[in-house]
Amino acid sequence: MFFQKDIETMPRKQLEELQLERLKWTVDYCYKNVPFYTKKLDEAGVTPDSIKSLEDIKRIPPTTKADLRDNYPFGLFAKPMKEIVRIHASSGTTGKPTVVGYTKHDLDIWSDCMARICMAAGATSEDIVQISFGYGMFTGALGLHYGLEKIGATVIPNSSGNTEKALMYMRDFGTTALVATPSYALYMCETAKSLEYPMSDYSRLRLGLFGSEGCTPEMRTQIESGWGLFATDNYGMSELMGPGVSGECRERNGLHFNEDFFLPEIVDPDTLEARDEGEYGELLVTTLTKEGIPLLRYRTRDITKITYEPCKCGRTHARMEKVQGRSDDMLKIRGVNIFPSQIESVLIAIDQVSPHYQLVVRREGFADTLEVQVELVDSSLLDSYGKIQQLQKDIAKKIQTVLGIQCKISIVEHGTIERFVGKAKRVIDLRNVK
Ligand code: DLL
């Protein structure tokens, strides 16, 4: 099923012509409206009228998350605030979140992108869709919300949390589709099974529109068989728009990029050299129509590969493989973006512990857990159980204040944590290890 069939199945040559026209517009628009880009493009010797082909994009320096943070909150906005109608922000990195603004036109395009992805996944105007992403500064809930309303589906904006009530709505309202992170969908299923109601009370549920975090094929199968639904994956990030950058169709053979709005590239994460079609690398994305906060060659840090082969479904837009991992050390734990450097800053301010630490992330049941292993400066403190307990409590509390998530603190003897001569590996992510 298509939302905008003529665009979604546009011949490649025509699509590339459209991309080039929009790329020229975007570079010119950034140059004229965002001082950060005027300077950056001048320094790189790129004038807007020197962009003659899609290949010319390689002459533009990439934009990073640090650029957004350095220009916090509105420094990269290309429109005055009176034309910005919505603001979202991603969960904090080093203290400050990255902030994005949308014009009315941006919001229209966002809902078109979402409508395409929802219909490609099989959603229709007959569906009753429960949105179990958190509403708020996070882009997930409102992104799906407007896209689903656009295709005429009935939206239940129940948000995340209060799982038993969400399950009551599902039973009583005859919910047919669920929007959630895969891990929350699994947790909801586990909760449903623990209640006194038979699973047949949820039998109308047929579709899962999941995203915002990785999901192994095994976990997807578990969710599908637990709920008796068909699940699709949808990818995006708040800096680019939110969900709706790419998503799976019923073939589930890669996530279709909304290529008329976003121009993807795959590069080597260290050298930024272009990688060939089908090779893994870091995804860079240039927005092609965004007015509020346009971005040139944004470094997503997500590792994937892209194919331009048309899909069996008839769509011609490029497909990216599920995200394999990240080229930086950002972690997503229970929906919160976390950088080890944030924890490091907390630990460095505590006299009794050294700056050597390790983070261990696990999936216990259906929830992610974080263990922070820290080293004592003076191991003799280990003789006092009371003092160690107090120290653990203090560190956990400080980390909770900064990151907003609970973690377990393990205190180890001085010299126990591995030292590195090169880049330190601070994170042990055991979530996908069996
Ligand atoms: O997670 C936007 C979104 C919401 C996408 C709902 C899909 C559904 P951020 O909070 O800015 O935005 O986080 C962006 O999450 O760079 C990826 O590392 C990760 N991510 C997003 N979608 C997927 C996915 C939203 N389908 C960061 N698979 C991205 C794997 C994903 N990772």
Side-chain angles (χ1 to χ4, degrees), residues 245-258:
V245 173
S246 67
E248 281 180 323
C249 65
R250 302 289 288 187
E251 297 292 330
R252 298 197 296 193
N253 195 9
L255 288 80
H256 289 280
F257 240 85
N258 277 315

Side-chain angles (χ1 to χ4, degrees), residues 65 89-91 98 110 114 133 137-141 143-144 179-182 209-215 232-247 255 283 298-303 320-326 328 330-332 335-337:
K65 204 177 182 88
S90 80
S91 36
T98 48
W110 191 9
M114 275 320 319
F133 279 142
M137 297 307 264
F138 176 57
T139 51
L144 269 294
V179 170
T181 56
L209 300 165
F210 303 137
S212 185
E213 66 179 11
C215 174
T232 59
D233 188 11
N234 144 39
Y235 167 87
M237 65 197 316
S238 48
E239 297 92 312
L240 295 174
M241 184 169 73
V245 173
S246 67
L255 288 80
L283 174 71
Y298 189 67
R299 291 195 66 172
T300 66
R301 306 283 178 176
D302 292 318
I303 302 293
M320 66 176 247
E321 193 170 275
K322 276 175 174 295
V323 173
Q324 300 293 302
R326 291 186 55 85
D328 63 5
M330 187 183 92
L331 283 167
K332 197 150 187 175
V336 181
N337 295 340

Side-chain angles (χ1 to χ4, degrees), residues 340 343-359 372-379 381 388 391 395 399 409-419 426:
I343 294 179
E344 200 170 292
S345 320
V346 172
L347 297 178
I348 284 173
I350 300 171
D351 291 343
Q352 296 99 313
V353 297
S354 84
H356 303 288
Y357 66 96
Q358 199 133 47
L359 309 180
V372 182
Q373 298 175 344
V374 292
E375 232 186 36
L376 287 173
V377 172
D378 174 7
S379 299
L381 204 69
I388 288 289
L391 183 58
I395 300 174
I399 291 177
I409 307 295
S410 302
I411 293 185
V412 298
E413 250 183 270
H414 187 76
T416 329
I417 288 175
E418 193 181 352
R419 310 292 202 259
R426 296 280 177 226

Side-chain angles (χ1 to χ4, degrees), residues 213-272:
E213 66 179 11
C215 174
T216 57
E218 294 80 8
M219 181 163 156
R220 167 136 99 182
T221 305
Q222 223 181 329
I223 302 171
E224 290 190 319
S225 59
W227 278 123
L229 54 71
F230 180 89
T232 59
D233 188 11
N234 144 39
Y235 167 87
M237 65 197 316
S238 48
E239 297 92 312
L240 295 174
M241 184 169 73
V245 173
S246 67
E248 281 180 323
C249 65
R250 302 289 288 187
E251 297 292 330
R252 298 197 296 193
N253 195 9
L255 288 80
H256 289 280
F257 240 85
N258 277 315
E259 259 196 292
D260 48 333
F261 298 127
F262 301 100
L263 185 61
E265 295 171 76
I266 298 290
V267 300
D268 179 309
D270 297 321
T271 62
L272 298 180

Side-chain angles (χ1 to χ4, degrees), residues 276-296:
D276 289 336
E277 177 173 351
E279 272 189 333
Y280 283 106
E282 182 182 330
L283 174 71
L284 255 56
V285 180
T286 298
T287 63
L288 293 176
T289 60
K290 265 179 73 185
E291 296 177 337
I293 174 164
L295 293 174
L296 300 177

